[in-house]
Amino acid sequence: GLDLTQFEVGDLIGEGAFGQVYVASHKRSKRVKVALKCMVKSQQDRYLDIDGHSTPVLAEVAMMLRLMKAPRCPNIIRLHNWLEIEDNFVLILEYAESCQTLLQYIKDTADIEENQARQLMRQLIRAIMFCSERGVFHGDIHTANILVTLPRLELKLIDFGCAQPITQKPFNKSDYRGAGHGMPPEALRCRVFHANPAYVWTIGIMLYEIMHGRLAFNNRQSIMFGAIQIHPRLSTACVDLISQCLIRNPAKRLQLHQVEEHCWFNPTTPNPV
Ligand code: ADP
Ligand code: MG
Ligand code: MG
């Protein structure tokens, strides 16, 4: 069986709302580093059924397992295994080496160039489309839940603690467990929302934040009614993509499968003069 004594636990590498994350190495396979996400069990924990298990597992685990069946997406952190030890859950995750959160990357980098932003957004969209196809709504995509490796800018989506299975039925506002500033406007206005339009809203929010170094909207009032202030240095294509993802009416918003085809992702090389 698997237990924690098989790992040599190292430094604390992250702290979120619900747990501590430590880097560790597997003693037998010496150099294989993992990230141990340790959480204390609580009354609020959600559990879901998964194939091959007689009892429901932590929703975060169940949702990640849907994404771990081959072929996997390189832009989603891998779940190797998990443990329940008395009052604790421990997720054994792929360790993203020489990485930082997108939050930190944005803080450290003034005026991120569109080429870099495009590279990051392509990978984020790949991760999101993969989740959507596997019936997983992440529900908490923000800059502290995205890791970026330096200098190559490889992106990994993490933290499925708020994830939900996608069904035919729309989600209710109360199903949304992620950070409030990521809530799509239809959840606030109509109290129901669908996964894909909410994902597209998130794509707009993330691209805005990468290009401006700050949130597009700070509170519920501005999510519903606020005008977005776009920096004049942005290209027309970039402004158009942000605007189309942040259309408040989900029926008029760009659709998830259209995002990748937007002209911002397909820049034509300028003709030499
Ligand atoms: P929470 O659910 O408490 O928010 P997260 O899963 O978001 O926990 O992890 C908290 C922080 O730990 C992240 O913001 C990140 O800095 C770090 N972290 C999490 N997983 C990894 C990983 N696999 N590799 C490297 N750092 C990680
Ligand atoms: Mg988190
Ligand atoms: Mg979380």
Side-chain angles (χ1 to χ4, degrees):
L2 181 75
D3 66 79
L4 272 189
T5 62
Q6 294 171 21
F7 296 94
E8 200 167 294
V9 182
D11 294 339
L12 180 73
I13 50 173
E15 227 164 338
F18 303 104
Q20 288 84 37
V21 182
Y22 296 90
V23 65
S25 58
H26 195 239
K27 285 176 185 163
R28 254 182 306 166
S29 51
K30 231 14 182 188
R31 276 192 308 221
V32 180
K33 281 189 182 168
V34 296
L36 301 177
K37 180 174 179 177
C38 311
M39 297 169 281
V40 178
K41 285 184 187 173
S42 88
Q43 301 252 294
Q44 276 81 275
D45 288 334
R46 295 167 301 126
Y47 296 83
L48 289 171
D49 289 317
I50 50 159
D51 299 342
H53 275 259
S54 48
T55 53
V57 296
L58 189 68
E60 181 167 356
V61 168
M63 291 290 89
M64 289 194 88
L65 286 175
R66 283 194 183 185
L67 308 170
M68 295 304 123
K69 296 191 185 97
R72 287 186 301 105
C73 174
N75 304 113
I76 294 173
I77 209 79
R78 189 168 176 178
L79 175 71
H80 292 302
N81 218 325
W82 71 97
L83 294 166
E84 279 189 58
I85 306 164
E86 289 164 18
D87 289 337
N88 301 280
F89 291 111
V90 180
L91 269 51
I92 302 165
L93 300 160
E94 164 195 0
Y95 173 58
E97 195 100 52
S98 53
C99 73
Q100 55 183 212
T101 62
L102 181 58
L103 180 73
Q104 195 59 45
Y105 179 69
I106 291 172
K107 272 189 196 154
D108 294 348
T109 319
D111 297 337
I112 294 174
E113 285 175 26
E114 287 192 24
N115 282 336
Q116 268 70 59
R118 191 179 289 114
Q119 210 180 318
L120 293 169
M121 290 305 297
R122 274 208 187 100
Q123 298 176 79
L124 179 62
I125 291 163
R126 213 176 293 151
I128 285 176
M129 289 184 65
F130 187 86
C131 289
S132 171
E133 282 157 21
R134 297 280 174 102
V136 174
F137 179 60
H138 183 287
D140 196 21
I141 295 178
H142 57 76
T143 54
N145 287 338
I146 293 171
L147 301 178
V148 175
T149 70
L150 293 175
R152 297 184 60 193
L153 293 190
E154 288 161 340
L155 177 148
K156 303 266 182 194
L157 182 59
I158 64 166
D159 194 359
F160 288 78
C162 298
Q164 310 242 33
I166 298 172
T167 64
Q168 304 286 357
K169 281 197 330 187
F171 292 114
N172 289 308
K173 180 169 169 256
S174 58
D175 296 328
Y176 188 91
R177 293 156 201 277
H181 60 256
M183 181 101 70
E186 60 270 28
L188 295 167
R189 193 162 14 91
C190 316
R191 308 194 155 267
V192 294
F193 65 98
H194 286 275
N196 283 1
Y199 268 143
V200 175
W201 177 265
T202 303
I203 290 167
I205 292 288
M206 287 296 102
L207 177 54
Y208 183 96
E209 194 170 343
I210 291 171
M211 295 313 301
H212 295 83
R214 59 180 160 77
L215 296 171
F217 307 112
N218 286 305
N219 51 51
R220 291 176 174 215
Q221 190 72 10
S222 68
I223 290 172
M224 282 199 286
F225 307 111
I228 46 169
Q229 306 291 328
I230 291 188
H231 197 282
R233 82 182 162 95
L234 271 57
S235 70
T236 327
C238 189
V239 175
D240 186 76
L241 177 55
I242 293 173
S243 312
Q244 297 234 40
C245 291
L246 297 182
I247 291 174
R248 290 197 170 85
N249 180 347
K252 295 190 175 154
R253 194 175 300 154
L254 205 62
Q255 290 181 32
L256 185 55
H257 69 268
Q258 297 174 321
V259 176
E260 267 191 327
E261 277 130 50
H262 189 275
C263 63
W264 187 66
F265 288 109
N266 306 289
T268 49
T269 43
N271 292 324
V273 187

